[in-house]
Amino acid sequence: CMVRGGLQSFVVSIPVSDDVIDAVNEVSSRLITYFDGVRDLSLKCIDEYREPNADGTTNGSVKERCITVIEKRFNGASTARHEQDNTNLPHEGHFVMDAFVSIKNTHQNSSDNVDVEVCLEMFAHTTYGMMLVNKIRGQMPGEIGRTNRRWRRLLKRQLASSCSSPPSCKS
């Protein structure tokens, strides 16, 4: 069933010098990196262009960049099962998550950033799948937007190391 509660979409502000398409590519790259790095869970990402329709129908709308995520063990090659599995699971496993990436506004804002929207469509087939969806999407805005504590500390360290030798960085 479709997951309706919780985080459904968020906006990432990306600095772009030339083309707004670069912003979509950057956010898509960050999503794939985030999904590859989720702890205690091996995920498979499928990067494609699709229409964002939860019911599976096509209405001729513009296709958007979509990152589809499933558990890697349900990729078809492996038949490994865990105790949370049951024999009635669909082929994608306990859950499937689609992250649609698109430009939120067509004009760049005043700070030369482009706002990119990530809209999530999530389907959980079991309680275990719902737990996995909540775990994955919980840290997503901070990781993709690079605004959480880990990224702030990393940026602070990078600024400190780049400014430690040149005298022009002292303020």
Side-chain angles (χ1 to χ4, degrees):
C1 75
M2 186 167 190
V3 178
R4 298 203 184 272
L7 176 72
Q8 298 295 320
S9 68
F10 58 95
V11 175
V12 179
S13 190
I14 301 289
V16 175
S17 57
D18 295 330
D19 192 6
V20 293
I21 278 299
D22 292 342
V24 171
N25 292 337
E26 174 66 21
V27 171
S28 298
S29 174
R30 289 181 185 186
L31 280 166
I32 291 170
T33 302
Y34 170 70
F35 292 135
D36 285 343
V38 172
R39 290 188 211 179
D40 304 325
L41 191 58
S42 183
L43 300 174
K44 165 81 172 153
C45 297
I46 303 161
D47 188 358
E48 60 188 352
Y49 284 89
R50 284 192 334 182
E51 294 178 19
N53 289 326
D55 58 2
T57 61
T58 58
N59 60 8
S61 66
V62 176
K63 292 185 177 188
E64 295 179 0
R65 184 89 177 256
C66 178
I67 311 296
T68 301
V69 181
I70 61 172
E71 284 183 271
K72 189 175 276 185
R73 63 193 174 103
F74 289 100
N75 192 22
S78 174
T79 57
R81 295 249 178 221
H82 292 175
E83 67 271 358
Q84 297 95 344
D85 297 348
N86 63 41
T87 56
N88 297 324
L89 282 174
H91 68 278
E92 66 265 6
H94 292 278
F95 74 94
V96 62
M97 180 182 291
D98 292 327
F100 290 95
V101 183
S102 62
I103 301 295
K104 177 143 177 81
N105 53 21
T106 56
H107 62 285
Q108 293 182 347
N109 60 28
S110 60
S111 61
D112 290 331
N113 290 339
V114 174
D115 290 336
V116 178
E117 184 175 31
V118 178
C119 293
L120 302 174
E121 286 184 2
M122 301 152 290
F123 298 89
H125 307 299
T126 61
T127 305
Y128 179 68
M130 181 65 81
M131 185 220 31
L132 294 176
V133 164
N134 288 332
K135 175 184 177 180
I136 293 168
R137 72 177 172 174
Q139 296 178 346
M140 199 178 288
E143 287 291 324
I144 306 305
R146 296 184 174 170
T147 57
N148 62 6
R149 181 181 303 150
R150 181 174 75 95
W151 284 103
R152 287 192 308 264
R153 287 181 179 169
L154 182 64
L155 181 62
K156 186 177 179 181
R157 272 188 240 125
Q158 286 175 343
L159 287 174
S161 67
S162 67
C163 288
S164 62
S165 56
S168 63
C169 290
K170 310 266 190 236
S171 43

